[in-house]
Amino acid sequence: MNMNPSKLAMVPFVSVANMMKLVHSIGLETFLKDVATEIEADFARWEMFDKTPRLGSHSDVGVIELMPTSDGEFYGFKYVNGHPKNMAEGLQTVTAFGLLADVYSGYPVMLSEMTVLTALRTAAMSAVATKHLAAPNATTMAMIGNGAQSEFQCLAQKAVNGITHIRLYDTDPAATAKCMANLAGHGLDVTPCKSPQEAIEGADIITTATADKDMQTILTDNMVGAGVHINAIGGDCPGKTELHRDIVARSTVFVEYPPQTRIEGEIQQMDPDHPVVELWEVITGKAKGRQSAGEVTLFDGVGFAIEDFSALRYVHNAIKGTPFFDDLDMIADPDDPRDLFGMLQRAKG
Ligand code: NAD
């Protein structure tokens, strides 16, 4: 993109408050559907992107990650953390912000909050995977883990796949009560459940979004019936999984970017060459999705940079002509590009 230099000095910044205004002005379900469409379109041109597993800095209590990608026109990255212990301290498990830049000039074109946007794009991603992998007549989803991501996951499934019934379970009943209350009035039939077994009864889709920096077994093999589609999105870094390995062994496993998922996903429990299907190949028709009614399909979702890129580019377009951003003076802009020092001198006053 060859842009007028004077236009590049101020960088639009989308704060949390403005992101929320933007979402409401577009409509939450429309926003989720639109981001799902963007992700699907970007997965369909997968080969055009620079791809690398995200760069994680791990500590005993969590991880801080950078997630970059580029399609040759724009470059984007997200800063994101994952700290399961945060919730008990009154903090978010996941917070994020991201930047979109113009590849031609190298200048940033937008800085944005991404804590809300990550929940939206993660939900949109699960909905895209479900659209391509679940049984076509699916109506009911079990939502295991009723924390920050959960309502977004439920509403994206309604908006994109027409899911009508939700069965909730969380080890903390207060989380389920919060999710029930938040989903009221959104046109979903929601049932709180006392165990994961009860939650997955009659469910065509199971989504797990639990947080624990550990190898958990939220689901064991005997719990999962034939024909179910699972979105396992909570296991997203080394040493953090949600499913018993027997479920993974029995399922057809679909992933975003294998070099990252093999380190971070449910398949970290399996042999390094455990067979997986890349979701972008299903979307483009290069590979098959669900092949029989009885097959268990597993989207081993860890969250990949292209999903953030799709969401950032969507927001970058959506804020045009709206008041939902502030101009951020974050790029030094001397009148003579070589006179950076002179600009500093003159600012002395
Ligand atoms: P959160 O802390 O707000 O909620 C997690 C919930 O899981 C809590 O309510 C907790 O009580 C519940 N839980 C913990 N162990 C459980 C168990 N054994 N059974 C049932 N419930 C259990 O976290 P969040 O922001 O909702 O994120 C959930 C997970 O999703 C995190 O692990 C996060 O890292 C991950 N995540 C993944 C992606 C992705 O792209 N794949 C994106 C965002 C978040």
Side-chain angles (χ1 to χ4, degrees), residues 54 67 78 80-84 87 91-94 118-119 121-122 125 144-150 153 169-172 175-176 178 196 208-212 216-218 232-237 240 242 256 299-304 307:
R54 61 185 152 199
M67 303 171 67
K78 178 168 85 173
V80 61
N81 77 303
H83 284 65
M87 197 240 310
L91 300 171
Q92 291 285 121
T93 299
V94 176
T118 291
R121 79 80 158 124
T122 304
M125 184 67 236
I144 309 217
N146 302 156
Q149 308 301 318
S150 60
Q153 291 286 326
Y169 172 71
D170 194 293
T171 41
D172 180 358
T176 303
K178 177 242 15 166
T208 56
T210 67
D212 206 329
Q216 294 284 307
T217 44
I218 310 301
I233 65 147
D236 59 356
C237 75
K240 182 167 172 247
E242 296 182 296
E256 292 139 314
F299 172 51
D300 188 359
V302 293
F304 187 56
E307 296 145 40

Side-chain angles (χ1 to χ4, degrees), residues 198-236:
E198 188 189 335
I200 67 178
E201 241 175 63
D204 311 294
I205 302 160
I206 304 171
T207 298
T208 56
T210 67
D212 206 329
K213 205 171 183 333
D214 207 353
M215 311 290 264
Q216 294 284 307
T217 44
I218 310 301
L219 299 179
T220 50
D221 192 33
N222 58 337
M223 290 162 70
V224 175
V228 163
H229 171 67
I230 306 171
N231 299 302
I233 65 147
D236 59 356

Side-chain angles (χ1 to χ4, degrees), residues 5 9 107 331-344 346:
Y107 274 38
I331 300 297
D333 183 36
D335 294 338
D336 173 353
R338 284 177 302 188
D339 195 19
L340 188 63
F341 189 84
M343 184 182 79
L344 174 65
R346 286 188 292 281

Side-chain angles (χ1 to χ4, degrees), residues 159-210:
V160 176
N161 297 315
I163 293 309
T164 51
H165 288 68
I166 301 287
R167 300 176 66 78
L168 299 176
Y169 172 71
D170 194 293
T171 41
D172 180 358
T176 303
K178 177 242 15 166
C179 191
M180 282 285 295
N182 281 340
L183 289 177
H186 283 277
L188 283 165
D189 186 329
V190 187
T191 309
C193 300
K194 293 202 161 49
S195 66
Q197 287 87 341
E198 188 189 335
I200 67 178
E201 241 175 63
D204 311 294
I205 302 160
I206 304 171
T207 298
T208 56
T210 67

